[in-house]
Amino acid sequence: MRVMLVILSLVLVARVTRADAVANAVRAKPKGDGLLVYGDGFMFAVKEPSGWKSDIQNASRLGANIAFYHAGESPESAVALVRVRVSAKVDENIAGDLQADMDGYRQEYAGVAFEDIAVAHPSYRTFAKLFFVKDTFFEYVVYLNPGKDVPFMLSVSMNKQRTRATKAEFESFQEVVRTLFLFNGLKVIEQKADAGAP
């Protein structure tokens, strides 16, 4: 609860310049035990797992708002790459979105298989699967629905090449999912430059 109060108080004083809003830049700021990430019309908090590095600089080219990989690695050499993304919701059928992605993988990858994975969030409905082609790739995918009054959904994926995630990697992935919190109804305060300011 203390962390949530700290995050909420920090959100209320968050400021973004007009140039940042126009460029839709995603930022992350360390907040004690977690990070606050914001972009065009959204903000979310997430905890960086111990031994992992958060990366917003490369997140956009990785198709994410924030990425995580083992400390000491780069996105290109990451043994395990976790990506978090906020997307606008089309409807409340998040399970259908996951099914559509599975259908897309079936068309793109011969021999792709799917398994249920145990990943949960304390407040959001989760839809999770492991997409894999044995000895080629293992993609852990979770879609989260923060609620019907929220216009966004969250997705978290972890990519592993050739091997399944280790127990520690999967636990870190679960931690990222579990600590996500999307702020709804709070607006980023825009500060316009004063033309007469020195």
Side-chain angles (χ1 to χ4, degrees):
M1 186 65 177
R2 181 182 69 79
V3 172
M4 187 59 66
L5 291 175
V6 169
I7 290 172
L8 285 173
S9 66
L10 291 168
V11 168
L12 295 175
V13 297
R15 300 192 191 283
V16 66
T17 66
R18 179 47 127 179
D20 285 342
V22 171
N24 190 21
V26 177
R27 307 286 175 133
K29 296 186 177 186
K31 303 298 176 204
D33 287 339
L35 299 163
L36 181 63
V37 181
Y38 56 92
D40 190 16
F42 68 83
M43 287 182 276
F44 67 87
V46 64
K47 184 176 179 187
E48 180 182 83
S50 179
W52 291 66
K53 175 184 176 183
S54 59
D55 185 346
I56 60 161
Q57 305 303 329
N58 295 297
S60 178
R61 73 177 178 81
L62 298 170
N65 298 110
I66 190 167
F68 300 95
Y69 41 86
H70 294 289
E73 294 180 346
S74 70
E76 294 75 27
S77 67
V79 172
L81 179 66
V82 175
R83 295 171 294 182
V84 178
R85 180 175 177 85
V86 175
S87 303
K89 266 199 269 183
V90 175
D91 55 33
E92 293 301 311
N93 186 11
I94 306 303
D97 294 335
L98 181 60
Q99 185 61 53
D101 282 351
M102 292 167 63
D103 293 342
Y105 269 65
R106 280 188 188 99
Q107 291 177 3
E108 190 170 347
Y109 301 102
V112 69
F114 306 96
E115 289 179 6
D116 291 334
I117 53 175
V119 182
H121 187 277
S123 304
Y124 304 157
R125 288 192 64 203
T126 58
F127 305 87
K129 289 282 184 189
L130 170 61
F131 297 32
F132 67 97
V133 174
K134 191 175 177 183
D135 300 325
T136 304
F137 71 83
F138 293 82
E139 186 83 18
Y140 298 77
V141 179
V142 179
Y143 286 174
L144 298 97
N145 187 353
K148 67 179 181 173
D149 297 328
V150 181
F152 299 104
M153 62 177 272
L154 296 149
S155 61
V156 184
S157 65
M158 178 171 60
N159 181 266
K160 289 277 299 187
Q161 297 299 310
R162 294 182 293 283
T163 63
R164 290 178 181 263
T166 65
K167 181 180 179 195
E169 288 167 341
F170 189 67
E171 287 172 353
S172 293
F173 175 71
Q174 289 173 309
E175 180 180 11
V176 168
V177 171
R178 191 174 53 250
T179 62
L180 275 171
F181 179 81
L182 183 68
F183 295 96
N184 187 29
L186 296 173
K187 296 197 186 294
V188 176
I189 299 166
E190 259 188 67
Q191 183 176 8
K192 295 184 180 179
D194 182 1

